[in-house]
Amino acid sequence: SFVLLSRILLQSLSEKCIVLSMKLWIFVILIDFSSRPGNIVTSNPVTEGQEVVQNLIDRCSTIQENDLIFVLDRSQGIAGRGWAVVVNFVKDILENFVVDRLNTRVAVITFGTTVRVDINDLDPNPKTDSENKCTVNERLSALVESQPPGLYTATSAALDAAYHVLLRSRTTSKKAIIVVTHSRYNIGHSPIREAIKILSLHWSGWD
């Protein structure tokens, strides 16, 4: 499974889902663009990644404890119309889940040259306890959709941020990391190191 995980994170993308355990998965979706001027999006993650989306929904019942981490590429190659597609993809996915403190909690990490944790409701506190699908969508529009593009694709740093978000998440929840990107990393080291760290995670509540 380590070889398969490495292959995915290096953008071979011959597989779209990695089962890290019965309760932790990494999904990878690739955004395609045409070669014509204007960088026109030729694939929509909701349709092109339908198998991934359905796999996620099948594995994570919509009414139960789920922790979803969206890791979104905002590098220069995906800026403009592509970025709007990515943000709308997150909103469309969340339509399939009950988002609140008892069921699905959401984190959104964006990355280009640098990494930002824009939304993190996986860490329980009085503020996140009141979050729901409407408030998450509002923050997606206010905090994420307006993000300026980065020049490079720092995938390893983004997965490292996801790892640290996971560390403070609920011990009993199912967990999925959804990576949406358009290309192989081009800054920093290979994301394999971070994949290994995520692979090693285990919570006592899973026993």
Side-chain angles (χ1 to χ4, degrees):
S1 62
F2 167 69
V3 173
L4 184 59
L5 177 61
S6 303
R7 190 165 72 243
I8 283 188
L9 293 177
L10 288 171
Q11 302 302 318
S12 294
L13 295 171
S14 58
E15 301 286 344
K16 296 188 178 74
C17 173
I18 289 301
V19 180
L20 301 184
S21 74
M22 291 306 294
K23 285 196 171 185
L24 175 60
W25 305 274
I26 292 181
F27 300 88
V28 180
I29 297 173
L30 183 69
I31 301 291
D32 292 326
F33 296 92
S34 73
S35 58
R36 293 173 294 172
N39 215 24
I40 304 300
V41 180
T42 58
S43 71
N44 186 314
V46 176
T47 54
E48 294 295 325
Q50 192 61 51
E51 179 184 345
V52 171
V53 172
Q54 193 58 53
N55 199 341
L56 170 65
I57 294 169
D58 289 345
R59 291 175 182 274
C60 300
S61 173
T62 58
I63 304 178
Q64 68 171 24
E65 288 188 352
N66 301 306
D67 290 333
L68 304 183
I69 301 179
F70 294 90
V71 181
L72 309 178
D73 181 353
R74 58 174 171 81
S75 61
Q76 193 170 37
I78 208 167
R81 190 175 302 181
W83 185 237
V85 168
V86 170
V87 174
N88 285 332
F89 161 73
V90 176
K91 294 178 180 179
D92 287 343
I93 288 292
L94 295 181
E95 284 300 312
N96 296 283
F97 293 88
V98 175
V99 179
D100 60 31
R101 67 184 182 87
L102 298 177
N103 295 287
T104 297
R105 295 182 179 180
V106 179
V108 178
I109 297 167
T110 57
F111 68 100
T113 306
T114 59
V115 175
R116 285 181 45 158
V117 179
D118 296 286
I119 298 173
N120 182 12
D121 293 342
L122 272 59
D123 186 2
N125 61 67
K127 181 180 179 181
T128 60
D129 281 350
S130 62
E131 296 295 345
N132 56 49
K133 192 181 302 180
C134 290
T135 60
V136 169
N137 281 337
E138 288 172 359
R139 287 189 293 162
L140 280 168
S141 297
L143 300 175
V144 178
E145 199 163 358
S146 60
Q147 284 278 340
L151 183 61
Y152 297 107
T153 307
T155 310
S156 57
L159 286 178
D160 182 63
Y163 169 82
H164 284 92
V165 168
L166 279 172
L167 288 181
R168 296 183 60 83
S169 63
R170 293 172 291 185
T171 61
T172 55
S173 62
K174 289 187 175 182
K175 305 173 192 299
I177 301 172
I178 304 97
V179 182
V180 183
T181 186
H182 83 103
S183 67
R184 180 173 173 164
Y185 75 96
N186 56 20
I187 187 173
H189 56 262
S190 165
I192 293 175
R193 185 186 308 172
E194 281 65 40
I196 294 171
K197 290 198 301 183
I198 293 172
L199 181 65
S200 69
L201 290 174
H202 182 84
W203 285 262
S204 59
W206 285 3
D207 297 331

